[in-house]
Amino acid sequence: MNDATMTDTLLPPDLDWQVIPGLADYAETLRRMEARVAEIAAGRAPEAIWLLEHPPLYTAGTSANPADLTDPGRFPVHVAGRGGQYTYHGPGQRVVYVMLDLNKRGRDVRRFVSCIEAWVIATLAEFGITGERRAGRVGVWVTRPEKAPLPDGSLREDKIAAIGIKLRRWVSFHGLSINVEPELSHFDGIIPCGIQGHGVTSLVDLGLPVRLEDVDNALARNFASSFAARACDAD
């Protein structure tokens, strides 16, 4: 049994799981995603997970501070409408758009974000990476003891996955991104998520020769268990 067949058996049968090839245009993807969310909310389409890459670009969430866009002419900037601040998308980063119906899954936004974090953490664990939550910092982080500590003596931490969602009629959209092998210098044009003092990393930066396909399979294997009843209760 190959990986695709194995992961398909672990996904809910009514979940539309799509891996979209190439570099997806951001504006067109957002338009399609909003249309799909409307269909899900109306009961005319199943829940969906889309896995894709974008060309290099920055997106501004609803809390974005203009001062955090430090190099505005570097890449196109899109107003995303999701929660959060500025983030980067580009080749080598797995973007996962999550269109799930919280009317069926419980109308608890905090718990839902915790579920997404749990999903990322379980996925990273398959590659021997310990991803961690941090209070007040949505996303998933890894400690970097090999780097010089912060001025207060605490360990440096790098962000490996960003999360930003929006709800419409209790159906989610936008989602998460995991840095597999993006060009990390592209993050230099923003203060990612408005957080200073910490950096960004990727699976390849951490010394792991991981492909997007490997991450996709790990995400599929861990989806159902990460969104189970008690797997992601908010801390």
Side-chain angles (χ1 to χ4, degrees), residues 13 16-18 38 44 53 81 93 115 120 124 131 145 177 186 219:
D16 179 17
W17 181 278
Q18 295 187 36
R44 294 192 295 266
E53 295 174 274
Q93 181 190 70
C115 285
V120 174
L124 294 174
S177 59
H186 288 179
L219 284 164

Side-chain angles (χ1 to χ4, degrees), residues 151-179:
D152 64 1
S154 60
L155 286 176
R156 285 196 179 271
E157 298 174 340
D158 285 345
K159 194 169 194 176
I160 195 166
I163 296 170
I165 65 166
K166 184 174 181 177
L167 298 176
R168 183 170 295 159
R169 294 173 61 186
W170 288 101
V171 177
S172 68
F173 58 119
H174 297 283
L176 65 106
S177 59
I178 299 175
N179 296 331

Side-chain angles (χ1 to χ4, degrees), residues 11 16 36 60 67 88 92 96 123 158 171 210 220 233:
L11 291 167
D16 179 17
R36 182 56 178 265
Y88 165 78
V96 185
T123 296
D158 285 345
V171 177
V210 177
D233 287 336

Side-chain angles (χ1 to χ4, degrees), residues 73-223:
R74 188 169 190 180
F75 297 124
V77 179
H78 295 267
V79 177
R82 55 160 174 79
Q85 303 186 47
Y86 281 105
T87 193
Y88 165 78
H89 292 318
Q93 181 190 70
R94 179 49 88 213
V95 176
V96 185
Y97 288 128
V98 179
M99 289 157 277
L100 298 179
D101 189 352
L102 273 66
N103 292 293
K104 301 175 181 177
R105 296 173 176 272
R107 294 183 175 185
D108 187 331
V109 178
R110 184 182 175 204
R111 182 182 182 279
F112 182 64
V113 172
S114 185
C115 285
I116 294 174
E117 291 173 336
W119 186 25
V120 174
I121 289 168
T123 296
L124 294 174
E126 291 207 12
F127 306 104
I129 298 297
T130 301
E132 299 178 292
R133 298 178 174 95
R134 288 293 178 264
R137 290 192 255 143
V138 173
V140 177
W141 300 77
V142 295
T143 57
R144 304 300 301 270
E146 74 279 13
K147 290 188 173 183
L150 292 169
D152 64 1
S154 60
L155 286 176
R156 285 196 179 271
E157 298 174 340
D158 285 345
K159 194 169 194 176
I160 195 166
I163 296 170
I165 65 166
K166 184 174 181 177
L167 298 176
R168 183 170 295 159
R169 294 173 61 186
W170 288 101
V171 177
S172 68
F173 58 119
H174 297 283
L176 65 106
S177 59
I178 299 175
N179 296 331
V180 181
E181 193 179 8
E183 175 52 66
L184 294 179
S185 67
H186 288 179
F187 286 88
D188 294 345
I190 57 172
I191 298 175
C193 302
I195 298 169
Q196 302 193 61
H198 298 288
V200 292
T201 190
S202 69
L203 286 159
V204 171
D205 181 52
L206 294 170
L208 298 168
V210 177
R211 304 169 302 160
L212 289 172
E213 295 90 338
D214 300 324
V215 172
D216 295 346
N217 288 332
L219 284 164
R221 284 191 292 270
N222 288 283
F223 177 81

